[in-house]
Amino acid sequence: MLNLKKLTQVLGELEEDEVMDLLNDFILTNPSEAEALEAVAACQAGMSIVGEQFEQGEYFVGDLIFAGELLTEAMIALKPALGSNSQGSSGKILLGTVHGDLHDIGKNIFKSMSEAAGFEVVDLGIDVAPDEFVVQAKKLNPEIIGMSGVLTLALDAMKETAEALKAAGVPSKIIIGGNPVTKEASEFIGDSNCKCNIQCS
Ligand code: B12
């Protein structure tokens, strides 16, 4: 059985070999999707430790970059347990990290989870301008538009993007996610359809 606390700890300590050994052994046990999601949450808790260490001046930007690469590697290892056979059958999601924000680890996790749930996901990448969301939404006509952002400043970009989509008459449901996304943030962004972060912090 995967030791989730240990996984969080070694990810927070950026011990790449230990993280990957734990995950590779775990995948060999053919875990269920629910167990794999627990592993994702444990990795995410490890990233919170990295963030705290950065705030306290113990880690530097280079450590953040390394943490990002490590989490991406961890998610690739977990992907087989998060997979799905029914891709696209639940609908289409247009996804991107909003303008000014270059963080994409959370977005990529959300993408993997959505694909596992049977959605087709069109990923616009990072630093996506409001106009680009509008152009692609008109072209692809997705049921859902997902905006991701981790910086506090991303909330302004989400608001701007939601307003641009509304002004252009795009009918898709908008969902938002990322660390600064709270119920209050959803209200600030101004769309009662906005759902808070899947962790609902
Ligand atoms: C890794 C990291 C980086 C990496 C990013 C690598 C990458 N490819 O993404 C790098 C090194 C590039 C980076 C850069 C910077 N970073 Co940084 N970074 C982090 C760190 C450590 C982890 C972020 C992360 O990936 N978390 C893990 C993921 C899984 O969590 P998540 O994004 O919240 O996603 C989950 C949910 O929110 C949700 N979700 C996410 N998106 C979506 C979308 C939808 C639609 C839904 C429904 C759900 C959903 O699902 C995910 C899974 O549960 C955080 C610290 C922290 N504790 O968060 C700082 C942090 C976000 N960074 C910070 C800062 C300051 C910066 C820099 C300005 C540093 C600098 N001086 O240059 C730059 C900014 C560059 C820019 N313009 O964006 C600050 C932000 C402060 C703030 N309040 O705005 C933080 C909080 C660190 C800190 N404590 O100071 N960073």
Side-chain angles (χ1 to χ4, degrees):
M1 216 175 112
L2 179 62
N3 184 335
L4 295 169
K5 277 196 179 144
K6 179 83 183 164
L7 178 59
T8 297
Q9 182 205 327
V10 291
L11 201 141
E13 290 168 356
L14 301 178
E15 293 291 347
E16 182 181 18
D17 290 347
E18 290 193 53
V19 170
M20 295 316 296
D21 284 350
L22 280 173
L23 291 178
N24 289 330
D25 289 348
F26 172 62
I27 281 296
L28 289 177
T29 67
N30 203 13
S32 68
E33 194 169 326
E35 287 168 332
L37 288 173
E38 283 179 357
V40 171
C43 289
Q44 207 182 340
M47 291 303 271
S48 297
I49 296 173
V50 174
E52 282 158 23
Q53 297 285 77
F54 178 70
E55 271 173 37
Q56 288 163 16
E58 299 289 333
Y59 282 175
F60 303 98
V61 172
D63 297 306
L64 291 188
I65 293 171
F66 181 68
E69 289 167 358
L70 179 54
L71 193 64
T72 302
E73 202 186 340
M75 289 309 119
I76 290 170
L78 287 170
K79 201 160 184 179
L82 296 168
S84 157
N85 296 322
S86 54
Q87 205 166 341
S89 59
S90 302
K92 192 185 289 173
I93 300 178
L94 182 65
L95 179 67
T97 299
V98 293
H99 181 56
D101 198 327
L102 307 180
H103 295 82
D104 65 358
I105 297 167
K107 170 182 70 61
N108 294 342
I109 292 176
F110 172 73
K111 180 181 174 184
S112 298
M113 287 173 160
S114 303
E115 286 176 344
F119 287 94
E120 178 194 350
V121 181
V122 179
D123 186 356
L124 300 179
I126 55 175
D127 192 16
V128 181
D131 284 356
E132 182 65 8
F133 272 103
V134 170
V135 168
Q136 295 300 332
K138 288 196 153 179
K139 190 169 131 194
L140 300 167
N141 201 18
E143 281 80 9
I144 296 170
I145 296 175
M147 296 192 273
S148 180
V150 173
L151 299 176
T152 310
L153 279 175
L155 298 177
D156 293 320
M158 286 177 178
K159 186 177 173 71
E160 209 186 315
T161 307
E163 283 171 359
L165 288 164
K166 201 172 171 188
V170 172
S172 320
K173 264 197 185 313
I174 298 173
I175 60 172
I176 57 176
N179 206 37
V181 174
T182 57
K183 190 168 180 294
E184 290 70 32
S186 298
E187 281 161 10
F188 164 73
I189 288 155
D191 188 329
S192 58
N193 283 331
C194 284
K195 302 271 185 293
C196 69
N197 189 340
I198 46 176
Q199 289 175 290
C200 226
S201 53

